[in-house]
């Protein structure tokens, strides 16, 4: 029974063909395509308002040089937000519960911010590895510690997103299983568990939105350090 709880995290396949690419590209079909009319419908207006809000929140701490990343960061934010929210629907697959996918998103973008800093301001970027005023005997140890903390950033990004979403999905499945199992023997307790399940689902909706925002926000902070 314990193994069945983790079946929801296995990548779906049809005739041996993995369907994770379809799960990743399907949210894009839900976005309305821009038209040539001056007056658009409510869905397009809501989409533009959300994109402007996300872009403003991400670009406010950055200078003009960092605004070149607006399209990448905003697109990544909307991509993660839609995948995380759609993954809460029944009989769906959440690609962001796969550590390999999250690392594939985190590592190239983190490396791009690091290379940007080394190209534009190499002295300042390398200076982050050694805090000012460090005693001479501690210099080798601090350089190793700061280098390790720098290299572990993409791993922390991927593990944070994976762990939070995986834990939420497991809790929802455990409580829903308990709700169904207790319905025939203890209906009152089953209704109470159903209420807990409803509140947990609301919490997971908030977690899905917050984790998408935190993932992109940390990338923007890494970019801010290097520009």
């Amino acid at each position: 029974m314990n193994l069945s709880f983790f079946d929801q995290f296995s990548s779906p396949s049809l005739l041996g063909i993995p369907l994770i690419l379809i799960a990743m590209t399907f949210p894009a079909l839900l976005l309305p395509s821009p038209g040539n009319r001056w007056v658009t419908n409510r869905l397009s207006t809501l989409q533009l308002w959300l994109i402007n809000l996300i872009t403003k929140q991400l670009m406010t701490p950055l200078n003009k040089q960092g605004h070149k990343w607006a399209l990448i960061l905003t697109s990544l934010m909307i991509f993660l937000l839609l995948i995380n929210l759609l993954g809460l629907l029944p009989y769906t697959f959440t690609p962001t519960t796969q550590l390999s996918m999250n690392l594939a998103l985190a590592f190239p973008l983190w490396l791009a911010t690091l290379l940007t800093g080394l190209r534009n301001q190499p002295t300042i970027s390398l200076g982050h590895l050694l805090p000012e005023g460090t005693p001479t005997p501690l210099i080798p140890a601090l350089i190793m510690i700061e280098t390790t903390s720098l290299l572990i950033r993409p791993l922390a990004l991927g593990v944070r997103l994976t762990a939070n979403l995986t834990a939420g999905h497991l809790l929802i499945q455990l409580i829903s299983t308990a709700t169904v199992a207790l319905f025939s023997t203890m209906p009152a307790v089953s209704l109470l568990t159903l209420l807990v399940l409803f509140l947990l689902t609301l919490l997971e909706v908030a977690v899905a939105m917050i984790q998408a925002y935190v993932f992109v926000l940390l990338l923007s902070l890494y970019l801010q350090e290097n520009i």
Side-chain angles (χ1 to χ4, degrees), residues 134-142:
T134 304
T136 304
L138 297 179
I139 288 179
L142 278 179

Side-chain angles (χ1 to χ4, degrees), residues 69 106-117 223 226:
W69 290 64
F107 183 77
L109 292 173
W110 165 82
L111 185 61
T113 61
L114 183 62
L115 295 178
T116 300
L223 177 63
N226 292 284

Side-chain angles (χ1 to χ4, degrees), residues 76-99:
L76 179 63
M77 173 72 181
I78 296 175
F79 172 73
L80 292 176
L81 185 63
L82 289 176
I83 284 184
N84 292 349
L85 292 178
L86 289 176
L88 294 174
L89 297 176
Y91 303 105
T92 57
F93 172 69
T94 312
T96 44
T97 56
Q98 305 295 312
L99 181 60

Side-chain angles (χ1 to χ4, degrees), residues 89-167:
L89 297 176
Y91 303 105
T92 57
F93 172 69
T94 312
T96 44
T97 56
Q98 305 295 312
L99 181 60
S100 57
M101 175 187 163
N102 295 334
L103 290 179
L105 290 174
F107 183 77
L109 292 173
W110 165 82
L111 185 61
T113 61
L114 183 62
L115 295 178
T116 300
L118 292 176
R119 184 189 65 179
N120 296 334
Q121 45 182 18
T123 305
I124 299 178
S125 298
L126 294 177
H128 291 159
L129 301 179
L130 185 63
E132 186 177 358
T134 304
T136 304
L138 297 179
I139 288 179
L142 278 179
I143 290 179
M144 294 179 60
I145 293 173
E146 292 296 330
T147 304
T148 304
S149 65
L150 178 66
L151 296 178
I152 209 173
R153 283 179 174 180
L155 180 62
L157 282 176
V159 170
R160 182 187 296 107
L161 182 58
T162 303
N164 282 282
L165 295 181
T166 302

